[in-house]
Amino acid sequence: MSVPARPSYRRRIQSLGGLLLKPIEWILGLADLIVLPVQNLIGAQRMAYFFILPNLLIFGVFILLPMLLNFYYGFTTGDSILLENRPLVGTRNLESLLTCGNYLDPNTCTQDLFWRSLTNTTVFVVSQLVAMVLLSLVTALVLNRKIVARGFFRSVFFYPVLLSPVVVALIWKWILQDE
């Protein structure tokens, strides 16, 4: 019984790799049809701006535009979402928020719900942050010691990180499967 020679085995692997790379080469060739004219037009030094442009557009539409709209809404009144149906009131909205006898006591403000919600949010964020950091630090310190079943406990704490993508994958599988 003879063993196949190494060079023929390598040639088969290379030819298989070549077949697998053909679709990628084809896609890159199509991309070249778009990228090369742009590079000739704007130059190689400015190509980074071409690749960043889609991200900047997404950022502008979903982050910057809503921020600017909210800033504009702060100086208008009404309940319409359309800008032409919202009369300008200037800084009257901000004045009503900042009219307080004592800023540490939300009940003395004319808009006490705003200040109470701001206080509640601040207390929640600070306490949650401190609790999470301390609990994580204590857990990490305990799991770094020489304890029985340390690997098991490490995997138990890491399990939720792995569980989320698995659940998402299963949900997509259920959505996309034929009935």
Side-chain angles (χ1 to χ4, degrees):
M1 176 152 81
S2 68
V3 177
R6 283 231 180 255
S8 64
Y9 178 72
R10 284 186 182 164
R11 265 188 257 128
R12 275 191 277 158
I13 293 294
Q14 287 173 348
S15 67
L16 180 63
L19 287 175
L20 294 175
L21 290 178
K22 286 295 181 191
I24 295 172
E25 289 176 5
W26 185 73
I27 291 170
L28 290 176
L30 286 177
D32 260 356
L33 294 174
I34 298 169
V35 173
L36 282 178
V38 172
Q39 184 175 353
N40 291 335
L41 182 68
I42 65 174
Q45 296 293 324
R46 295 189 186 117
M47 281 302 289
Y49 298 114
F50 173 74
F51 290 113
I52 288 177
L53 186 63
N55 290 332
L56 289 177
L57 289 174
I58 291 171
F59 178 80
V61 168
F62 292 105
I63 302 294
L64 196 58
L65 183 64
M67 280 177 41
L68 293 174
L69 280 172
N70 279 327
F71 184 75
Y72 180 78
Y73 286 159
F75 294 101
T76 61
T77 187
D79 57 0
S80 176
I81 197 168
L82 301 174
L83 298 178
E84 60 267 5
N85 296 339
R86 297 181 65 90
L88 283 171
V89 293
T91 59
R92 218 176 314 149
N93 290 336
L94 298 175
E95 289 171 3
S96 69
L97 287 178
L98 298 175
T99 314
C100 289
N102 179 8
Y103 286 106
L104 298 176
D105 183 15
N107 294 326
T108 63
C109 301
T110 56
Q111 297 290 331
D112 62 335
L113 290 178
F114 169 76
W115 288 101
R116 184 170 294 132
S117 66
L118 189 68
T119 304
N120 290 345
T121 302
T122 304
V123 168
F124 175 76
V125 166
V126 169
S127 62
Q128 183 77 7
L129 185 71
V130 168
M132 284 177 55
V133 168
L134 286 177
L135 185 65
S136 300
L137 183 64
V138 168
T139 303
L141 289 173
V142 168
L143 291 179
N144 268 344
R145 305 193 103 193
K146 300 278 187 203
I147 60 173
V148 177
R150 179 172 67 170
F152 171 75
F153 289 117
R154 283 182 174 177
S155 60
V156 165
F157 282 107
F158 191 65
Y159 184 70
V161 175
L162 300 175
L163 185 64
S164 177
V166 171
V167 169
V168 170
L170 282 174
I171 289 172
W172 275 109
K173 180 183 172 193
W174 291 335
I175 290 172
L176 298 174
Q177 79 183 18
D178 292 332
E179 298 204 22

